[in-house]
Amino acid sequence: MKPDTSAIAALLDGTHADPFSLLGPHAGPKGTFVRAIVPGAETIEAFSLAGKPLGVLARTDDRGLFEGTIKQKPQPLRYLATGGGAHWWAGDPYSFGPVLGPIDDLLIAQGTHFRLFDKMGAHAVKHEGASGVHFAVWAPNAARVALVGDFNDWDGRRNPMRRRADIGVWEIFIPDIGLGRAYKYQINAGDGTMLPLKADPFAFASELRPATASIVATPGKTEWGDDAHRAHWASVDPRRVPISIYEVHAGSWDRDADGWFLTWDALADKLIPYVVEMGFTHIEFLPISEHPYDPSWGYQTTGLYAPSARFGDVAGFARFVDGAHRAGIGVLLDWVPAHFPTDAHGLAHFDGTALYEHEDPRLGFHPDWNTAIYNFGRREVSSFLVNNALFWAEAYHIDGLRVDAVASMLYRDYSRAGDEWIPNEQGGRENWEAVEFLRAMNRGVYGQHPGVITVAEESTTWPGVSRPVHEDGLGFGFKWNMGFMHDTLAYMARDPVHRRFHHNEITFGLMYAFTENFVLPLSHDEVVHGKGSLLTKMPGDDWQKFANLRAYYGLMWGYPGKKLLFMGQEFAQRREWSEERALDWDLRGAPAHEGVRTLVRDLNRLYRETPALHARDCEGEGFEWLLADEADTSVFAWLRNAPGANPVAVICNMTPVPHHGTRIPLPHDGHWAEILNSDAAAYGGSGIGNMGGVDALHGAAAVTLPPLATIMLEYQHAGS
């Protein structure tokens, strides 16, 4: 029986919610009835995919509606269309069955699907004998969803999608298209209101801003050469190996001759050799997921699954990671599950309802960033984010995720006044839904991708951030030590004459240094928004600024914890960082700047080659105070240890006055070689030192402490 005229009218007007009930082939008593919409066609003839003619369909509406009966059973169809003196082939999406299956439905409904990125979004596939692209999007409260793109003139009447009612996913297979096609979703809210066109939450690529369409793409690459790199990291305890991270904003590390962003391939050619030369073990990128606004630095992401189009195609990022791995360098990504922007094409009110976020702004709005907060307690949202973490490890072989703004996720009252938040069921401020999401994410990453690490930027004293989930922790591998950064930078910014009154700003951190697995971060956040560069934070004249900075780096590399330094600070960038320009690489021509860079290179080499400096970074047995109470002279001395390794004494003089013959306790009598002196002439210092080493007797040695400097002494052998 034919449908009533109102259903056909709704179909042609683009308001019918169940197109598969009307379009395509349907078995009937007189054969298979076929209905198709082919705009612009005057005649169409149906063919099987094998090319067998099946019958001519009659045009029943000038808007391109055709109907007719064929003798064969329902099957995928193609049409040979003619019109306006031309002819063309058109595949019929409504003649194909669904791609998703009942197992997908079950796992998606449970929120336990760990390969959503293989099912959702756009995938070039072969389906029922035809090549094309399968599209799937979650919009459970939508009245209708249509696919629009450059393949259907962005006409929402052409390709309305099939609704899988049980899970709220809409899907369609479009034959005869492939990679590189631009698309979005046209969504009608439950009340019929048409929303702004939405980009695909699972898009693997996007147009270059300010355009916002999603692009059909295949993530990653098919052939990798990084098996040895990945096997190595899967075989080690990352707490007990050297990790020294170079934090990079891909858009401003350097630019091309025209001032434009370097492509991933150009970055690989320049950045990877530089990082190898400098001795860092990892590159950590500020967020590279697609984002509309450059000054957000990527933290306002609208495309969690898409490497930004600013740097070329998505395969370029995979080539970068592969190249870094072949050179022995790991790649970490800054990851932002804490919030998302409310751009019209993004996730905000995606299907006309607060789908990914909370409706109530006391739960779903971030006052600090004017962004939406994910509804972590909704299993589909948690699954979307967990799958994204797994996706980067799977598709792009990344070595880890640094998770941004974890504290803002853990506390319901984060940056809120008393009447601006809602307590949890127990009346407390903890966001237990976010806790469970973070635990699920860490379980997934560590369970499925050995060797991949997670790092939390968490600025409070929440217990067990880097403790395993099965021990009631959050499950991160590491945590940024924000206290170290704040206290030591505050100390270093003081005039040396006042430092003796603030001695505890260095010593206090050692009270909790082993409560978590810490990374010591001197990150981008410390050199923006009027804070100046690390060099300009230092007191004194220019010579003292450089000396202070070198001494500070020596202290940091001798301090327990993994290391992180933001780009440009390795050569003492003078200007505050800006995402609008490249680093001031011309400064390398100045001896003082190049001296700092040489020091950082040597510190990385020393840190990597000296087990005492890294093998117990996260365990108390790796640290022992030698001098903790020398406030009047602003001298600090401690010992770094590791089983089976020669101990290293780290000694800092934070005054501009050299100290000769200072008695330093040392645990072994014998010769201690001076393996680092930040005041060495090669680094731009005064050249005061210990002539290669000192000899300890009766548990101590007389040591020369250069001005504003850190030295390191490694035990070599007993005295003769």
Side-chain angles (χ1 to χ4, degrees):
M1 185 175 70
K2 289 189 177 183
D4 61 39
T5 56
S6 63
I8 296 298
L11 182 70
L12 291 170
D13 289 340
T15 58
H16 199 284
D18 187 13
F20 283 84
S21 67
L22 298 177
L23 293 172
H26 297 270
K30 296 182 180 181
T32 297
F33 181 79
V34 180
R35 181 180 291 113
I37 298 177
V38 185
E42 297 168 0
T43 67
I44 67 171
E45 182 178 3
F47 286 79
S48 71
L49 295 187
K52 179 181 177 181
L54 302 177
V56 175
L57 305 187
R59 186 165 71 170
T60 58
D61 190 286
D62 290 344
R63 287 171 287 183
L65 182 68
F66 292 83
E67 297 177 343
T69 301
I70 61 176
K71 297 300 183 182
Q72 284 72 17
K73 64 181 181 180
Q75 60 183 285
L77 300 173
R78 301 178 74 205
Y79 305 120
L80 179 60
T82 64
H87 65 273
W88 65 95
W89 287 97
D92 185 354
Y94 302 96
S95 65
F96 291 86
V99 173
L100 298 178
I103 297 300
D104 295 312
D105 287 351
L106 175 64
L107 296 177
I108 290 171
Q110 291 177 338
T112 56
H113 205 307
F114 279 166
R115 299 194 67 87
L116 275 180
F117 44 85
D118 285 342
K119 304 295 182 178
M120 304 296 290
H123 294 270
V125 297
K126 192 159 188 175
H127 179 51
E128 296 182 356
S131 295
V133 177
H134 174 247
F135 299 85
V137 64
W138 180 55
N141 303 302
R144 177 181 181 274
V145 179
L147 177 70
V148 297
D150 59 9
F151 43 83
N152 65 9
D153 299 323
W154 300 92
D155 185 346
R157 297 170 298 178
R158 298 270 293 274
N159 293 130
M161 302 174 76
R162 170 192 280 117
R163 182 181 186 185
R164 303 179 73 85
D166 290 345
I167 56 172
V169 170
W170 302 72
E171 69 167 335
I172 193 169
F173 172 74
I174 305 293
D176 305 324
I177 67 170
L179 301 176
R181 308 307 292 263
Y183 70 99
K184 282 187 174 180
Y185 298 112
Q186 183 188 84
I187 299 176
N188 291 82
D191 62 2
T193 302
M194 187 174 293
L195 305 175
L197 293 182
K198 292 290 189 178
D200 190 343
F202 279 88
F204 298 135
S206 299
E207 289 183 309
L208 176 65
R209 55 96 178 102
T212 57
S214 303
I215 303 293
V216 180
T218 300
K221 64 200 296 273
T222 55
E223 295 184 6
W224 292 79
D226 61 352
D227 287 351
H229 173 89
R230 300 180 86 200
H232 165 74
W233 282 100
S235 71
V236 300
D237 180 346
R239 300 172 305 162
R240 291 182 167 182
V241 297
I243 294 179
S244 182
I245 302 163
Y246 187 55
E247 190 190 31
V248 172
H249 177 255
S252 60
W253 183 76
D254 205 356
R255 296 282 179 93
D256 68 14
D258 298 319
W260 185 248
F261 304 112
L262 297 181
T263 66
W264 286 118
D265 291 328
L267 262 174
D269 289 343
K270 300 181 71 173
L271 177 57
I272 293 172
Y274 182 75
V275 171
V276 170
E277 178 204 352
M278 289 300 298
F280 290 99
T281 63
H282 291 74
I283 298 166
E284 179 181 312
F285 284 113
L286 272 63
I288 58 131
S289 297
E290 196 55 78
H291 53 284
Y293 186 51
D294 289 2
S296 81
W297 313 330
Y299 289 95
Q300 303 271 26
T301 183
T302 51
L304 274 178
Y305 285 80
S308 176
R310 291 166 176 80
F311 314 113
D313 65 2
V314 299
F317 179 63
R319 290 192 296 271
F320 182 96
V321 176
D322 195 25
H325 286 178
R326 293 177 191 229
I329 303 298
V331 178
L332 309 176
L333 295 186
D334 223 332
W335 189 54
V336 192
H339 59 107
F340 62 90
T342 56
D343 297 68
H345 71 281
L347 297 179
H349 278 75
F350 188 78
D351 65 357
T353 68
L355 188 62
Y356 286 87
E357 69 271 46
H358 297 270
E359 187 67 56
D360 193 323
R362 294 174 296 173
L363 294 171
F365 180 75
H366 248 313
D368 284 359
W369 304 301
N370 292 321
T371 52
I373 301 172
Y374 288 103
N375 183 351
F376 301 111
R378 185 163 192 166
R379 62 180 179 274
E380 297 95 340
V381 175
S382 176
S383 183
F384 169 74
L385 293 170
V386 168
N387 270 269
N388 187 246
L390 299 174
F391 167 80
W392 290 104
E394 171 80 19
Y396 290 101
H397 289 199
I398 59 100
D399 297 89
L401 297 170
R402 177 267 191 184
V403 183
D404 180 62
V406 171
S408 77
M409 302 166 67
L410 295 176
Y411 300 97
R412 289 168 171 254
D413 63 346
Y414 185 88
S415 285
R416 297 176 188 273
D419 60 348
E420 296 176 341
W421 63 284
I422 301 174
N424 60 34
E425 292 181 357
Q426 297 79 36
R429 56 197 286 253
E430 301 86 358
N431 187 339
W432 296 118
E433 292 86 359
V435 169
E436 287 309 308
F437 155 67
L438 291 170
R439 287 172 170 167
M441 182 275 297
N442 281 312
R443 279 195 303 264
V445 170
Y446 281 96
Q448 298 200 31
H449 295 283
V452 176
I453 63 173
T454 60
V455 184
E457 185 216 13
E458 202 286 309
S459 55
T460 75
T461 56
W462 186 282
V465 171
S466 59
R467 194 163 62 231
V469 173
H470 65 267
E471 296 179 7
D472 296 325
L474 293 183
F476 286 92
F478 294 93
K479 172 181 171 173
W480 272 21
N481 191 336
M482 308 297 280
F484 166 87
M485 178 271 297
H486 284 297
D487 289 350
T488 59
L489 278 179
Y491 179 88
M492 294 305 301
R494 301 185 189 281
D495 188 298
V497 74
H498 300 304
R499 286 175 176 167
R500 64 195 185 99
F501 302 111
H502 302 276
H503 202 69
N504 66 312
E505 288 176 336
I506 300 296
T507 60
F508 177 70
L510 277 307
M511 301 290 290
Y512 61 84
F514 307 104
T515 57
E516 301 276 3
N517 303 324
F518 279 125
V519 173
L520 313 179
L522 294 179
S523 75
H524 64 282
D525 279 331
E526 313 320 314
V527 293
V528 291
H529 300 322
K531 297 177 185 176
S533 66
L534 293 185
L535 181 68
T536 58
K537 295 180 194 296
M538 301 296 130
D541 58 24
D542 214 45
W543 190 94
Q544 291 191 2
K545 287 181 184 296
F546 278 96
N548 272 299
L549 186 61
R550 293 193 305 269
Y552 184 38
Y553 287 163
L555 178 151
M556 175 174 162
W557 261 257
Y559 195 99
K562 309 309 178 186
K563 325 301 176 189
L564 180 143
L565 188 64
F566 184 56
M567 65 182 198
Q569 308 315 308
E570 80 278 9
F571 60 79
Q573 169 110 359
R574 286 185 183 271
R575 288 195 294 178
E576 183 175 277
W577 170 62
S578 169
E579 81 284 344
E580 296 180 351
R581 60 175 184 260
L583 298 178
D584 297 327
W585 290 105
D586 59 304
L587 292 178
R588 286 191 54 191
H593 291 275
E594 189 66 0
V596 173
R597 194 185 78 92
T598 303
L599 172 67
V600 172
R601 182 198 67 192
D602 289 353
L603 283 169
N604 276 330
R605 176 190 55 77
L606 197 63
Y607 173 66
R608 293 177 70 161
E609 295 176 357
T610 310
L613 293 176
H614 67 250
R616 292 297 183 269
D617 263 334
C618 305
E619 297 159 84
E621 65 177 313
F623 177 88
E624 177 185 343
W625 276 113
L626 298 175
L627 292 174
D629 302 319
E630 296 296 312
D632 288 343
T633 57
S634 296
V635 170
F636 306 89
W638 61 78
L639 201 68
R640 295 299 307 280
N641 296 300
N646 290 340
V648 173
V650 180
I651 310 165
C652 308
N653 173 17
M654 292 304 182
T655 72
V657 179
H659 300 311
H660 297 282
T662 300
R663 185 174 176 82
I664 302 294
L666 294 172
H668 305 296
D669 288 352
H671 187 67
W672 292 69
E674 187 176 75
I675 57 174
L676 180 95
N677 181 347
S678 71
D679 190 49
Y683 306 140
S686 63
I688 296 174
N690 290 278
M691 303 298 289
V694 301
D695 292 306
L697 186 63
H698 303 310
V703 181
T704 295
L705 305 183
L708 296 173
T710 295
I711 66 171
M712 296 186 190
L713 305 174
E714 182 181 42
Y715 177 68
Q716 299 292 302
H717 54 78
S720 56

